[in-house]
Amino acid sequence: MKERYARRKWSQVLLLAGMVLGLLVMTKTAYAASSVSPKYIDASWVKTGSGYAKRDVTNWTLYVKNSRGVQRKISSSAGTTVAIGDIVYYYECNSGGRINSYNLKTGVKRKICAPAKLHNFLGYYKGYVYYSVGEYYRETLKTYKQNVKTGKRIRIYSLNGAGDARQYKNYMAVMNVRGDPGPTTLRIYNLSTGKVVKTISCCTAVKIIKGMIYYSVYSRSGNTYIQKIYRCSLNGSNAKKLATIKGSNLMVGLERTCVYYVITSGRIMKYYYSSKKAVASSSSAYTKSRIRNVLY
């Protein structure tokens, strides 16, 4: 009798230990999933979770494709779009503007929020979507983060005026709203601490590549637009000037090894940081009609 009782107690202990271990694994997995960098969805198919997504940057159409290769159009007016695993979050520009999610596994579309005067969807971090609201030509934009499950939203005063953003892990590079195109303020924001770690004035473009932030700073001499290209760490430190270019406008395309820009003749040039030489560009990604769409 004692032996049978001991075996039963030991089985209960093992069962309880297994349940605790399983809970720990689930919690760790969920935390890891919420901490990864969102994947920005643009012109090419991007693998995310169990499927794929792409967004046509010329007509704002958003497509998804499941693991069986079945393709579906889920929006004809998708602005900023990011994916975390199987969940695709996107700015639906029609119907007054709202932020939706789409589950690649289940095929379920869900409205996350539809705040009045939604200006732009900025990013996603640990269960919150970030966005700005307001009419930028009449008022200072207000920035919020909103819990995707509870709907609770919190004002982020340090990011007033946010127009566009790019994110990597727990850092977000936020550009103030501006003319089209025009220099504005860039703020590097730590999503974990809720603090701005660096502010840069007269910025015209920003891009995060392989965990480094690339940005351009503008000055003008007569009819010549002078832009200095920099690279820095995610927290804004270790800034290094990579190039100084002179173009006919403010439109630039930032890449890891080079920068694209437009000269007076209308030709697009490609300047290499390492050799400090510029050549005429033959890249189909940077045409005169599309360079504005790939600034970020």
Side-chain angles (χ1 to χ4, degrees):
M1 178 69 74
K2 289 183 179 180
E3 184 179 343
R4 188 164 51 200
Y5 176 76
R7 284 201 302 268
R8 187 167 63 230
K9 292 295 290 184
W10 181 241
S11 298
Q12 291 174 347
V13 169
L14 289 177
L15 179 61
L16 181 60
M19 292 173 64
V20 171
L21 181 60
L23 181 60
L24 289 173
V25 170
M26 289 173 63
T27 303
K28 184 177 180 180
T29 302
Y31 177 80
S34 67
S35 303
V36 299
S37 297
K39 295 182 178 180
Y40 283 83
I41 309 301
D42 286 312
S44 302
W45 284 109
V46 175
K47 178 72 171 73
T48 177
S50 60
Y52 299 81
K54 76 171 180 178
R55 183 177 71 93
D56 190 322
V57 296
T58 58
N59 63 20
W60 293 22
T61 303
L62 178 60
Y63 299 92
V64 295
K65 187 165 56 175
N66 63 22
S67 57
R68 301 185 302 278
V70 178
Q71 183 175 316
R72 179 183 178 188
K73 181 174 76 173
I74 62 172
S75 174
S76 298
S77 61
T80 302
T81 303
V82 303
I84 302 286
D86 282 311
I87 309 299
V88 179
Y89 297 94
Y90 62 98
Y91 174 25
E92 180 72 64
C93 302
N94 286 341
S95 304
R98 60 183 180 270
I99 298 172
N100 290 340
S101 69
Y102 180 84
N103 190 310
L104 290 168
K105 273 189 176 180
T106 64
V108 173
K109 182 190 293 188
R110 175 182 167 226
K111 183 179 78 173
I112 301 297
C113 59
K117 298 190 288 188
L118 176 63
H119 177 76
N120 201 7
F121 169 42
L122 303 174
Y124 172 94
Y125 184 69
K126 288 190 175 181
Y128 286 86
V129 289
Y130 289 71
Y131 58 84
S132 56
V133 299
E135 298 174 334
Y136 72 90
Y137 50 89
R138 293 181 179 176
E139 59 190 321
T140 299
L141 298 181
K142 300 174 183 177
T143 302
Y144 295 89
K145 67 176 184 178
Q146 183 163 334
N147 191 292
V148 299
K149 290 184 178 180
T150 67
K152 179 182 178 181
R153 76 174 188 172
I154 301 170
R155 175 88 180 269
I156 306 175
Y157 290 91
S158 60
L159 292 183
N160 280 346
D164 294 289
R166 271 296 186 261
Q167 177 189 344
Y168 184 82
K169 293 185 177 179
N170 62 313
Y171 283 94
M172 185 179 282
V174 182
M175 293 277 278
N176 267 21
V177 70
R178 57 180 177 169
D180 188 21
T184 189
T185 300
L186 168 67
R187 283 165 290 181
I188 301 175
Y189 182 75
N190 187 321
L191 294 158
S192 297
T193 63
K195 294 181 179 180
V196 174
V197 296
K198 187 168 185 174
T199 301
I200 301 160
S201 301
C202 294
C203 186
T204 58
V206 63
K207 194 170 187 178
I208 303 179
I209 308 171
K210 294 187 179 297
M212 300 293 288
I213 299 175
Y214 293 73
Y215 60 94
S216 59
V217 175
Y218 158 81
S219 62
R220 185 170 179 175
S221 177
N223 293 325
T224 302
Y225 294 82
I226 301 171
Q227 296 192 75
K228 295 178 181 179
I229 312 302
Y230 292 87
R231 179 184 65 210
C232 69
S233 301
L234 286 173
N235 62 5
S237 63
N238 303 312
K240 178 182 179 181
K241 189 176 78 171
L242 301 175
T244 300
I245 58 174
K246 298 179 180 181
S248 61
N249 59 39
L250 292 175
M251 296 188 291
V252 297
L254 301 171
E255 298 296 344
R256 189 172 62 87
T257 59
C258 62
V259 57
Y260 293 84
Y261 63 102
V262 184
I263 59 176
T264 305
S265 65
R267 176 178 290 181
I268 296 177
M269 303 298 292
K270 182 180 182 180
Y271 181 96
Y272 289 95
Y273 307 138
S274 57
S275 66
K276 302 187 183 303
K277 292 182 179 180
V279 298
S281 170
S282 59
S283 171
S284 59
Y286 288 92
T287 62
K288 279 184 279 189
S289 63
R290 289 196 61 209
I291 190 170
R292 180 67 182 90
N293 291 326
V294 288
L295 281 174
Y296 302 105

